[in-house]
């Protein structure tokens, strides 16, 4: 009985402590509740004080401020102060820059799903939709990326003028200055569609609308600067560039050696206060043609000419300088990998500029790094993810079409499981990218500059695109390797390094920025604590640090308690009101993983402190957890507003499983490599008490998605949706339209094609060529003349879509490819094989007249031609390995010539010099073929008329499907 009461008392004490943490009671309230519980349990069992007394003592210390600060707060403050590295003004600006959004909810381990459900789903206005349907569509039609990349090495003058005249360079500029003032979502959609046609044109339009003078002027410029520059930028009369990186400063942009020293000089004939500038910039997009240059430099005032003699180093500053300004040198071009957009250098030595060239005036001297960090969000959150999403969507469309049209081993290559392993990734991750784009632009549409979210967008979008396009190259194989105007995949493949590298190299972004900035921007207490730790007045900082520190402890214990409960009982059931039976379990998983992430992040920050900055592998794993939590919620939001079809649900399911598995493996790797093994073991046990709980998508799910990947319209609404996101066409001579045209034609004729190919593969026809088979099937009445025409026409499109380009010996001139299977060339593909075989069978007495066989009921005349082919094949003598007289004895001995009497054996001994001439042998077949293929197809059913009819059938069919 005594032991039972002791155990009961201990359980009560532990349950109350857990409840205090779960309810997140304040330090005072929690301590009082704990002390009362210990007193009560002491009456139940005095032995419970073994645990209760230390808890009560700790509570008393927490309640008495002088004792608490002396025993806990001051030692912690001193230890953390030594552990934290010193922070420069530039680092402080960077960490303090930007805002936070939904990513903060996920970081804190308690996502508010009501808030999530109320986020306005991004949509286009009528004006934005019209611009995409008209101006963007027209621009895309003007662009030929092969011509741009391999001949002109730049956009055509016509395309450039159209871009300038129609506001493509002023999408973000307010209407009061002549701009279009489009939403972030509209910008993303516009850039995606242009990129689907020409990465070069997309980058050209992207830069003025992301990190550039326009963005900086709108947020920080003086009224005079806005009036001077924004109207010209909006109309395309001014072409901007921004000089940040240089030979010595890439990822570490804060290390730029470019300087501006305050001094007096001559400007416009007047002696005035200004800056003596020295700069050397590299890799600056649009620099060779820019009319106005933004410059980032370090500003110094050694003489105190600005009025503060004690302040000589102002830090990074941004200025706007006309490209024609004396001493500014632009023009030399770089050649970016895979895309010859205008990119080059900006240099200047002892260039004098007035102080009012500083963006925002002298008041903004030294605020350049903050400006850049906040404005970089547009490029990271809109432009580069838009380009990545576009490349993945075009890969989805083109590779899906190829996988269905291209046949090997008598089936579409997309049916092979090895191929479906990667096409299911292409499908699910393209779905993810479109979902990701929607949630990120949703946050940007609401204003603010969420730097952590946009860093996630840049990294995970470009990295995913890299893998998707690589997988696409694997599937398409040789068709994608051979360069030329027919190649629909190599151009985005070659341009991958640009997206990976610019606006924050991906390695840096993942290993330093996402979690490094995320901890500061998203943690409720960390940044303020860090400020106090680096305070000059240490004594005054103790009291506010004491308050923050214990709030931080309460937050940590609350997440630990939630993680413990979730580990054994599953995550919280909190979810948006619109959650359904498919999505609800995923919201529960996210609740659990978010809480586990909050606890793990706090453990890392508390134990490693400043050393975490150097543990980049650990930081990268925490970034993966945070990033994929955000991605998973994006997928759930996108699914909610989608068709919710079975096909779309499969896309979402595979994508969600990928993100959850990635999060889990990041946790496991983090715990396996954390320096403090005891702490890692405890937190690992709390968060994953039963070990791994998530598995990647099963082979069966991948097979199903691999099949859907090749479908369209009602069978795959997501593919149909993607056509509205990119520049979509089915023109047979277009780089992307060629494959899509063949694919859409196949969808229209697929029942006939599959029936015919099935019979062909069973050997139901005589001949050597496809045209031989079609003619014989038509002569036998197995297919109609109209069906023969359809088959030959599709086969010509199919063959043409698989052709690659050829060049002259110097790889300068693309040669015209002849399609031997086209309608006009089909007759030339007929052979005399069938006649030769028939004559040989007659000589050997083995010939069976098909019509006679049908009349004698030897060969049933089925209405279904596929059955007819099968029965006929059974009536024919077996050939090949199935022939018992294949020429070899069971023991492997070769037959003597005198013993060879089969049709094939006799044919092998035939004197072809005595055989009928080709003209004689082909007479009856050529005669019929000329009537069927030339007269009827070319004259009565021209190529153009047939295509028009097929398109009308497709449209009609798609409407029926949609109904």
């Amino acid at each position: 009985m005594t032991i039972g009461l002791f155990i009961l008392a201990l359980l009560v004490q532990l349950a109350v402590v857990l409840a205090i943490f779960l309810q997140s009671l304040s330090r005072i309230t929690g301590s009082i509740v704990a002390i009362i519980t210990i007193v009560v349990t002491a009456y139940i069992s005095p032995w419970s004080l073994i645990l209760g007394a230390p808890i009560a003592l700790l509570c008393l210390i927490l309640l008495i401020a002088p004792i608490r600060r002396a025993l806990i707060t001051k030692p912690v403050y001193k230890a953390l102060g030594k552990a934290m590295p010193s922070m420069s003004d530039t680092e402080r600006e960077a960490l303090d820059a930007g805002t936070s959004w939904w990513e903060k909810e996920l970081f804190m381990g308690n996502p508010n799903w009501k808030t999530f459900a109320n986020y306005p789903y991004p949509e286009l206005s009528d004006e934005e939709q019209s611009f995409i349907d008209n101006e963007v569509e027209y621009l895309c039609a003007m662009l030929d990326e092969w011509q741009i990349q391999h001949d002109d090495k730049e956009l055509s003058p016509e395309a450039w003028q159209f871009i300038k005249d129609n506001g493509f360079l002023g999408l973000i500029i307010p209407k009061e200055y002549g701009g279009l003032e489009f939403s972030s979502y509209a910008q993303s959609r516009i850039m995606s569609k242009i990129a689907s046609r020409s990465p070069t044109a997309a980058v050209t339009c992207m830069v003025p609308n992301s990190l550039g003078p326009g963005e900086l002027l709108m947020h920080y410029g003086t009224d005079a600067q806005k009036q001077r520059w924004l109207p010209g930028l909006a109309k395309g009369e001014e072409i901007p560039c921004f000089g940040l990186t240089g030979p010595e400063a890439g990822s570490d942009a804060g290390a730029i050696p470019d300087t501006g020293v305050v001094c007096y000089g001559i400007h416009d004939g007047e002696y005035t206060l200004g800056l003596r500038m020295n700069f050397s910039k590299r890799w600056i997009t649009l620099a060779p043609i820019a009319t106005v240059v933004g410059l980032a430099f370090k500003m110094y005032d050694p003489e105190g000419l600005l009025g503060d003699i004690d302040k000589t180093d102002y830090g990074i500053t941004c200025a706007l300088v006309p490209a024609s300004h004396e001493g500014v040198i632009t023009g030399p071009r770089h050649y970016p990998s895979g895309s010859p957009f205008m990119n080059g250098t900006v240099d200047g030595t002892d260039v004098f500029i007035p102080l009012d060239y500083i963006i925002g005036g002298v008041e903004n001297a030294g605020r350049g790094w903050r400006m850049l960090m906040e404005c970089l969000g547009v490029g990271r959150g809109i432009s580069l993810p838009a380009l990545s999403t576009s490349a993945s969507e075009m890969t989805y469309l083109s590779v899906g079409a190829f996988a269905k049209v291209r046949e090997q081993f008598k089936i579409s290559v997309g049916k092979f499981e090895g191929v479906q392993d990667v096409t299911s990734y292409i499908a699910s991750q393209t779905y993810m990218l479109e979902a990701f784009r929607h949630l990120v632009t949703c946050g940007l549409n609401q204003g603010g500059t969420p730097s952590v979210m946009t860093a996630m967008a840049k990294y995970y979008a470009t990295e995913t695109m890299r893998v998707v396009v690589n997988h696409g190259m694997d599937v398409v194989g040789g068709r994608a390797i051979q360069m030329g105007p027919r190649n629909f995949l190599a151009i985005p493949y070659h341009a991958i390094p640009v997206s990976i590298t610019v606006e924050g190299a991906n390695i840096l972004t993942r290993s330093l920025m996402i979690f490094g900035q995320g901890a500061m921007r998203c943690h409720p207490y960390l940044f303020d604590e860090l400020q106090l730790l680096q305070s000059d007045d240490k004594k005054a900082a103790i009291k506010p640090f004491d308050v923050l520190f214990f709030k931080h402890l309460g937050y940590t214990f609350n997440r630990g308690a939630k993680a413990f409960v979730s580990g054994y009982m599953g995550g919280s059931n909190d979810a948006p009101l619109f959650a359904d039976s498919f999505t609800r379990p995923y919201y529960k998983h996210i609740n659990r993983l978010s809480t586990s992430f909050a606890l793990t992040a706090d453990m890392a920050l508390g134990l490693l402190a400043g050393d975490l900055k150097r543990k980049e592998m650990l930081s990268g794993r925490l970034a993966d957890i945070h990033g994929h939590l955000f991605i998973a919620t994006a997928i759930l939001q996108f699914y909610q507003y989608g068709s919710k079809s079975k096909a779309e649900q499969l896309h979402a399911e595979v994508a969600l499983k990928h993100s959850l598995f990635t999060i889990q493996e990041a946790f496991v790797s983090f715990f396996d490599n954390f320096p403090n093994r005891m702490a890692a073991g405890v937190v690992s046990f709390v968060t994953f008490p039963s070990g791994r709980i998530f598995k990647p998508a099963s082979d069966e799910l991948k097979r199903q998605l691999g099949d859907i990947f090749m479908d369209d319209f009602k069978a795959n609404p997501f593919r149909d949706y993607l056509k509205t996101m990119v520049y979509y066409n089915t023109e047979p001579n277009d780089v992307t339209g060629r494959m899509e045209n063949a694919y859409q034609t196949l969808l229209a004729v697929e029942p006939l094609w599959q029936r015919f190919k099935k019979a062909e593969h069973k050997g139901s026809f005589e001949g050597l060529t496809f045209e031989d088979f079609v003619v014989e099937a038509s002569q036998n009445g197995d297919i109609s003349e109209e069906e023969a025409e359809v088959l030959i026409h599709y086969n010509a499109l199919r063959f043409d879509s698989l052709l690659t380009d050829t060049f002259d010996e110097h790889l300068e001139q693309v040669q015209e490819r002849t399609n031997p299977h086209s309608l006009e060339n089909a007759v030339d593909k007929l052979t005399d094989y069938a006649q030769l075989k028939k004559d040989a069978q007659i000589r050997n007495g083995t010939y069976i007249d098909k019509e006679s066989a049908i009349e004698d009921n030897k060969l049933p005349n089925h209405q279904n031609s596929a059955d007819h082919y099968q029965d006929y094949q059974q009536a024919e003598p077996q050939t090949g390995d199935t022939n018992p007289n294949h020429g070899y004895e069971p023991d492997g001995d070769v037959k003597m010539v005198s013993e060879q009497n089969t049709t094939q054996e006799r044919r092998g001994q035939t004197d072809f010099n005595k055989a009928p001439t080709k003209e004689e042998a082909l007479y009856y077949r050529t005669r019929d073929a000329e009537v069927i293929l030339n007269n009827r197809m070319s004259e009565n059913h021209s190529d153009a008329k047939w295509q028009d009819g097929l398109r009308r059938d497709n449209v009609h069919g798609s409407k029926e499907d949609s109904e």
Side-chain angles (χ1 to χ4, degrees), residues 224-246:
Q225 289 171 337
K226 292 177 182 178
Q227 293 294 339
R228 165 65 180 88
W229 293 111
L230 289 181
L233 292 170
K235 296 176 183 177
E237 296 169 354
E238 302 285 358
I239 305 297
C241 72
F242 193 88
L244 176 58
T245 56

PDB file of all heavy atoms in Angstrom, residues 224-246:
ATOM      1  N   ALA A 224      11.943  63.435 -55.329  1.00  0.00           N
ATOM      2  CA  ALA A 224      12.631  63.933 -56.520  1.00  0.00           C
ATOM      3  C   ALA A 224      13.223  62.779 -57.316  1.00  0.00           C
ATOM      4  O   ALA A 224      13.166  62.769 -58.564  1.00  0.00           O
ATOM      5  CB  ALA A 224      13.724  64.919 -56.112  1.00  0.00           C
ATOM      6  N   GLN A 225      13.794  61.792 -56.637  1.00  0.00           N
ATOM      7  CA  GLN A 225      14.369  60.638 -57.327  1.00  0.00           C
ATOM      8  C   GLN A 225      13.287  59.805 -58.010  1.00  0.00           C
ATOM      9  O   GLN A 225      13.466  59.335 -59.140  1.00  0.00           O
ATOM     10  CB  GLN A 225      15.150  59.774 -56.331  1.00  0.00           C
ATOM     11  CG  GLN A 225      16.449  60.417 -55.847  1.00  0.00           C
ATOM     12  CD  GLN A 225      17.090  59.645 -54.720  1.00  0.00           C
ATOM     13  OE1 GLN A 225      16.435  58.890 -54.004  1.00  0.00           O
ATOM     14  NE2 GLN A 225      18.396  59.850 -54.527  1.00  0.00           N
ATOM     15  N   LYS A 226      12.156  59.655 -57.347  1.00  0.00           N
ATOM     16  CA  LYS A 226      11.054  58.902 -57.963  1.00  0.00           C
ATOM     17  C   LYS A 226      10.552  59.597 -59.216  1.00  0.00           C
ATOM     18  O   LYS A 226      10.319  58.955 -60.244  1.00  0.00           O
ATOM     19  CB  LYS A 226       9.913  58.737 -56.947  1.00  0.00           C
ATOM     20  CG  LYS A 226      10.253  57.833 -55.766  1.00  0.00           C
ATOM     21  CD  LYS A 226       9.103  57.778 -54.773  1.00  0.00           C
ATOM     22  CE  LYS A 226       9.450  56.909 -53.572  1.00  0.00           C
ATOM     23  NZ  LYS A 226       8.348  56.881 -52.570  1.00  0.00           N
ATOM     24  N   GLN A 227      10.373  60.898 -59.145  1.00  0.00           N
ATOM     25  CA  GLN A 227       9.895  61.638 -60.312  1.00  0.00           C
ATOM     26  C   GLN A 227      10.924  61.614 -61.441  1.00  0.00           C
ATOM     27  O   GLN A 227      10.560  61.605 -62.618  1.00  0.00           O
ATOM     28  CB  GLN A 227       9.592  63.097 -59.911  1.00  0.00           C
ATOM     29  CG  GLN A 227       8.417  63.260 -58.961  1.00  0.00           C
ATOM     30  CD  GLN A 227       7.089  62.868 -59.578  1.00  0.00           C
ATOM     31  OE1 GLN A 227       6.944  62.843 -60.810  1.00  0.00           O
ATOM     32  NE2 GLN A 227       6.113  62.564 -58.737  1.00  0.00           N
ATOM     33  N   ARG A 228      12.197  61.601 -61.082  1.00  0.00           N
ATOM     34  CA  ARG A 228      13.246  61.615 -62.101  1.00  0.00           C
ATOM     35  C   ARG A 228      13.340  60.287 -62.843  1.00  0.00           C
ATOM     36  O   ARG A 228      13.516  60.251 -64.067  1.00  0.00           O
ATOM     37  CB  ARG A 228      14.591  61.947 -61.439  1.00  0.00           C
ATOM     38  CG  ARG A 228      15.835  61.652 -62.275  1.00  0.00           C
ATOM     39  CD  ARG A 228      15.906  62.522 -63.537  1.00  0.00           C
ATOM     40  NE  ARG A 228      17.100  62.222 -64.323  1.00  0.00           N
ATOM     41  CZ  ARG A 228      17.175  61.275 -65.261  1.00  0.00           C
ATOM     42  NH1 ARG A 228      16.112  60.512 -65.495  1.00  0.00           N
ATOM     43  NH2 ARG A 228      18.291  61.077 -65.931  1.00  0.00           N
ATOM     44  N   TRP A 229      13.233  59.176 -62.128  1.00  0.00           N
ATOM     45  CA  TRP A 229      13.565  57.895 -62.736  1.00  0.00           C
ATOM     46  C   TRP A 229      12.377  56.972 -63.019  1.00  0.00           C
ATOM     47  O   TRP A 229      12.380  56.259 -64.029  1.00  0.00           O
ATOM     48  CB  TRP A 229      14.551  57.142 -61.840  1.00  0.00           C
ATOM     49  CG  TRP A 229      15.889  57.791 -61.741  1.00  0.00           C
ATOM     50  CD1 TRP A 229      16.433  58.409 -60.655  1.00  0.00           C
ATOM     51  CD2 TRP A 229      16.876  57.889 -62.781  1.00  0.00           C
ATOM     52  NE1 TRP A 229      17.682  58.894 -60.937  1.00  0.00           N
ATOM     53  CE2 TRP A 229      17.993  58.585 -62.250  1.00  0.00           C
ATOM     54  CE3 TRP A 229      16.922  57.476 -64.114  1.00  0.00           C
ATOM     55  CZ2 TRP A 229      19.130  58.856 -62.987  1.00  0.00           C
ATOM     56  CZ3 TRP A 229      18.059  57.733 -64.854  1.00  0.00           C
ATOM     57  CH2 TRP A 229      19.148  58.428 -64.302  1.00  0.00           C
ATOM     58  N   LEU A 230      11.387  56.923 -62.151  1.00  0.00           N
ATOM     59  CA  LEU A 230      10.337  55.905 -62.290  1.00  0.00           C
ATOM     60  C   LEU A 230       9.541  56.007 -63.594  1.00  0.00           C
ATOM     61  O   LEU A 230       9.269  54.969 -64.224  1.00  0.00           O
ATOM     62  CB  LEU A 230       9.397  55.950 -61.074  1.00  0.00           C
ATOM     63  CG  LEU A 230      10.005  55.443 -59.762  1.00  0.00           C
ATOM     64  CD1 LEU A 230       8.982  55.516 -58.633  1.00  0.00           C
ATOM     65  CD2 LEU A 230      10.533  54.017 -59.911  1.00  0.00           C
ATOM     66  N   PRO A 231       9.126  57.185 -64.068  1.00  0.00           N
ATOM     67  CA  PRO A 231       8.395  57.223 -65.343  1.00  0.00           C
ATOM     68  C   PRO A 231       9.208  56.662 -66.508  1.00  0.00           C
ATOM     69  O   PRO A 231       8.674  55.923 -67.359  1.00  0.00           O
ATOM     70  CB  PRO A 231       8.099  58.717 -65.535  1.00  0.00           C
ATOM     71  CG  PRO A 231       8.089  59.275 -64.145  1.00  0.00           C
ATOM     72  CD  PRO A 231       9.154  58.510 -63.417  1.00  0.00           C
ATOM     73  N   GLY A 232      10.488  56.989 -66.574  1.00  0.00           N
ATOM     74  CA  GLY A 232      11.327  56.469 -67.644  1.00  0.00           C
ATOM     75  C   GLY A 232      11.525  54.965 -67.545  1.00  0.00           C
ATOM     76  O   GLY A 232      11.534  54.257 -68.564  1.00  0.00           O
ATOM     77  N   LEU A 233      11.671  54.468 -66.318  1.00  0.00           N
ATOM     78  CA  LEU A 233      11.800  53.025 -66.124  1.00  0.00           C
ATOM     79  C   LEU A 233      10.518  52.301 -66.514  1.00  0.00           C
ATOM     80  O   LEU A 233      10.553  51.224 -67.124  1.00  0.00           O
ATOM     81  CB  LEU A 233      12.141  52.720 -64.659  1.00  0.00           C
ATOM     82  CG  LEU A 233      13.527  53.154 -64.184  1.00  0.00           C
ATOM     83  CD1 LEU A 233      13.645  53.022 -62.664  1.00  0.00           C
ATOM     84  CD2 LEU A 233      14.616  52.331 -64.872  1.00  0.00           C
ATOM     85  N   ALA A 234       9.381  52.886 -66.187  1.00  0.00           N
ATOM     86  CA  ALA A 234       8.093  52.271 -66.514  1.00  0.00           C
ATOM     87  C   ALA A 234       7.874  52.177 -68.020  1.00  0.00           C
ATOM     88  O   ALA A 234       7.328  51.186 -68.528  1.00  0.00           O
ATOM     89  CB  ALA A 234       6.960  53.060 -65.863  1.00  0.00           C
ATOM     90  N   LYS A 235       8.293  53.182 -68.754  1.00  0.00           N
ATOM     91  CA  LYS A 235       8.076  53.221 -70.203  1.00  0.00           C
ATOM     92  C   LYS A 235       9.166  52.513 -70.991  1.00  0.00           C
ATOM     93  O   LYS A 235       9.061  52.391 -72.217  1.00  0.00           O
ATOM     94  CB  LYS A 235       7.991  54.678 -70.663  1.00  0.00           C
ATOM     95  CG  LYS A 235       6.813  55.440 -70.090  1.00  0.00           C
ATOM     96  CD  LYS A 235       6.863  56.900 -70.511  1.00  0.00           C
ATOM     97  CE  LYS A 235       5.721  57.706 -69.892  1.00  0.00           C
ATOM     98  NZ  LYS A 235       5.814  59.139 -70.254  1.00  0.00           N
ATOM     99  N   GLY A 236      10.198  52.065 -70.324  1.00  0.00           N
ATOM    100  CA  GLY A 236      11.290  51.426 -71.036  1.00  0.00           C
ATOM    101  C   GLY A 236      12.260  52.402 -71.648  1.00  0.00           C
ATOM    102  O   GLY A 236      13.150  52.002 -72.406  1.00  0.00           O
ATOM    103  N   GLU A 237      12.098  53.681 -71.347  1.00  0.00           N
ATOM    104  CA  GLU A 237      13.043  54.681 -71.856  1.00  0.00           C
ATOM    105  C   GLU A 237      14.362  54.612 -71.090  1.00  0.00           C
ATOM    106  O   GLU A 237      15.401  55.034 -71.600  1.00  0.00           O
ATOM    107  CB  GLU A 237      12.431  56.077 -71.726  1.00  0.00           C
ATOM    108  CG  GLU A 237      11.181  56.261 -72.581  1.00  0.00           C
ATOM    109  CD  GLU A 237      10.429  57.545 -72.247  1.00  0.00           C
ATOM    110  OE1 GLU A 237      10.830  58.210 -71.268  1.00  0.00           O
ATOM    111  OE2 GLU A 237       9.452  57.855 -72.935  1.00  0.00           O
ATOM    112  N   GLU A 238      14.303  54.130 -69.868  1.00  0.00           N
ATOM    113  CA  GLU A 238      15.497  53.922 -69.061  1.00  0.00           C
ATOM    114  C   GLU A 238      15.655  52.417 -68.826  1.00  0.00           C
ATOM    115  O   GLU A 238      14.692  51.724 -68.485  1.00  0.00           O
ATOM    116  CB  GLU A 238      15.385  54.637 -67.710  1.00  0.00           C
ATOM    117  CG  GLU A 238      15.165  56.136 -67.803  1.00  0.00           C
ATOM    118  CD  GLU A 238      16.423  56.894 -68.192  1.00  0.00           C
ATOM    119  OE1 GLU A 238      17.485  56.244 -68.351  1.00  0.00           O
ATOM    120  OE2 GLU A 238      16.348  58.131 -68.326  1.00  0.00           O
ATOM    121  N   ILE A 239      16.873  51.927 -69.019  1.00  0.00           N
ATOM    122  CA  ILE A 239      17.173  50.518 -68.776  1.00  0.00           C
ATOM    123  C   ILE A 239      18.066  50.445 -67.539  1.00  0.00           C
ATOM    124  O   ILE A 239      19.164  51.005 -67.525  1.00  0.00           O
ATOM    125  CB  ILE A 239      17.905  49.882 -69.980  1.00  0.00           C
ATOM    126  CG1 ILE A 239      17.090  50.073 -71.256  1.00  0.00           C
ATOM    127  CG2 ILE A 239      18.165  48.397 -69.712  1.00  0.00           C
ATOM    128  CD1 ILE A 239      15.745  49.402 -71.246  1.00  0.00           C
ATOM    129  N   PRO A 240      17.603  49.756 -66.490  1.00  0.00           N
ATOM    130  CA  PRO A 240      18.365  49.747 -65.237  1.00  0.00           C
ATOM    131  C   PRO A 240      19.248  48.511 -65.076  1.00  0.00           C
ATOM    132  O   PRO A 240      19.010  47.454 -65.669  1.00  0.00           O
ATOM    133  CB  PRO A 240      17.249  49.730 -64.189  1.00  0.00           C
ATOM    134  CG  PRO A 240      16.189  48.876 -64.842  1.00  0.00           C
ATOM    135  CD  PRO A 240      16.277  49.146 -66.326  1.00  0.00           C
ATOM    136  N   CYS A 241      20.256  48.630 -64.268  1.00  0.00           N
ATOM    137  CA  CYS A 241      21.010  47.485 -63.773  1.00  0.00           C
ATOM    138  C   CYS A 241      21.442  47.824 -62.348  1.00  0.00           C
ATOM    139  O   CYS A 241      21.368  48.979 -61.938  1.00  0.00           O
ATOM    140  CB  CYS A 241      22.213  47.172 -64.655  1.00  0.00           C
ATOM    141  SG  CYS A 241      23.582  48.356 -64.534  1.00  0.00           S
ATOM    142  N   PHE A 242      21.868  46.803 -61.628  1.00  0.00           N
ATOM    143  CA  PHE A 242      22.318  47.077 -60.260  1.00  0.00           C
ATOM    144  C   PHE A 242      23.627  46.361 -60.009  1.00  0.00           C
ATOM    145  O   PHE A 242      23.724  45.133 -60.135  1.00  0.00           O
ATOM    146  CB  PHE A 242      21.289  46.641 -59.226  1.00  0.00           C
ATOM    147  CG  PHE A 242      21.582  47.195 -57.862  1.00  0.00           C
ATOM    148  CD1 PHE A 242      21.097  48.433 -57.475  1.00  0.00           C
ATOM    149  CD2 PHE A 242      22.413  46.504 -56.986  1.00  0.00           C
ATOM    150  CE1 PHE A 242      21.415  48.972 -56.234  1.00  0.00           C
ATOM    151  CE2 PHE A 242      22.727  47.032 -55.748  1.00  0.00           C
ATOM    152  CZ  PHE A 242      22.229  48.276 -55.377  1.00  0.00           C
ATOM    153  N   GLY A 243      24.657  47.122 -59.632  1.00  0.00           N
ATOM    154  CA  GLY A 243      25.989  46.583 -59.400  1.00  0.00           C
ATOM    155  C   GLY A 243      26.213  46.241 -57.948  1.00  0.00           C
ATOM    156  O   GLY A 243      26.373  47.138 -57.112  1.00  0.00           O
ATOM    157  N   LEU A 244      26.226  44.964 -57.636  1.00  0.00           N
ATOM    158  CA  LEU A 244      26.478  44.512 -56.269  1.00  0.00           C
ATOM    159  C   LEU A 244      27.727  43.632 -56.222  1.00  0.00           C
ATOM    160  O   LEU A 244      28.678  43.932 -55.523  1.00  0.00           O
ATOM    161  CB  LEU A 244      25.268  43.748 -55.722  1.00  0.00           C
ATOM    162  CG  LEU A 244      25.425  43.120 -54.330  1.00  0.00           C
ATOM    163  CD1 LEU A 244      25.761  44.178 -53.294  1.00  0.00           C
ATOM    164  CD2 LEU A 244      24.154  42.371 -53.941  1.00  0.00           C
ATOM    165  N   THR A 245      27.740  42.544 -56.986  1.00  0.00           N
ATOM    166  CA  THR A 245      28.845  41.592 -56.905  1.00  0.00           C
ATOM    167  C   THR A 245      30.064  42.078 -57.679  1.00  0.00           C
ATOM    168  O   THR A 245      29.965  42.919 -58.578  1.00  0.00           O
ATOM    169  CB  THR A 245      28.411  40.223 -57.446  1.00  0.00           C
ATOM    170  OG1 THR A 245      27.913  40.391 -58.787  1.00  0.00           O
ATOM    171  CG2 THR A 245      27.336  39.635 -56.586  1.00  0.00           C
ATOM    172  N   GLY A 246      31.201  41.527 -57.330  1.00  0.00           N
ATOM    173  CA  GLY A 246      32.451  41.900 -57.992  1.00  0.00           C
ATOM    174  C   GLY A 246      33.472  40.794 -57.867  1.00  0.00           C
ATOM    175  O   GLY A 246      33.177  39.713 -57.330  1.00  0.00           O
TER     176      GLY A 246
END
